[in-house]
Amino acid sequence: MSKFSEVSELVNSLKDDFEKFYDKGNQAAGTRVRKGMQDLKNMAQDIRKEVQDMKNAG
């Protein structure tokens, strides 16, 4: 479950920046949100590959 924890922590770490960007219009927070979402995408892709590999192996 450590992968789930990593994803959860990443999403939770972006909460403040989401609020700053969407509620207050802070452009720098928007940049951090975009970077965090890219990290999330990459993490999801890695997890998908790992799951597929484990599924095919067994």
Side-chain angles (χ1 to χ4, degrees):
M1 288 295 280
S2 67
K3 295 285 186 186
F4 181 80
S5 297
E6 289 177 36
V7 170
S8 182
E9 285 178 27
L10 178 59
V11 170
N12 288 333
S13 73
L14 296 173
K15 183 177 188 263
D16 290 339
D17 286 327
F18 263 95
E19 290 173 356
K20 287 177 186 174
F21 178 71
Y22 283 107
D23 297 340
K24 300 175 184 171
N26 183 320
Q27 296 298 313
T31 301
R32 291 189 295 273
V33 167
R34 288 180 59 234
K35 182 189 181 310
M37 295 306 292
Q38 184 66 39
D39 292 344
L40 181 61
K41 176 186 171 229
N42 292 337
M43 193 180 294
Q45 186 64 38
D46 292 343
I47 292 170
R48 288 186 68 220
K49 183 179 181 329
E50 180 180 321
V51 168
Q52 187 69 32
D53 291 346
M54 289 174 71
K55 190 176 87 169
N56 290 340

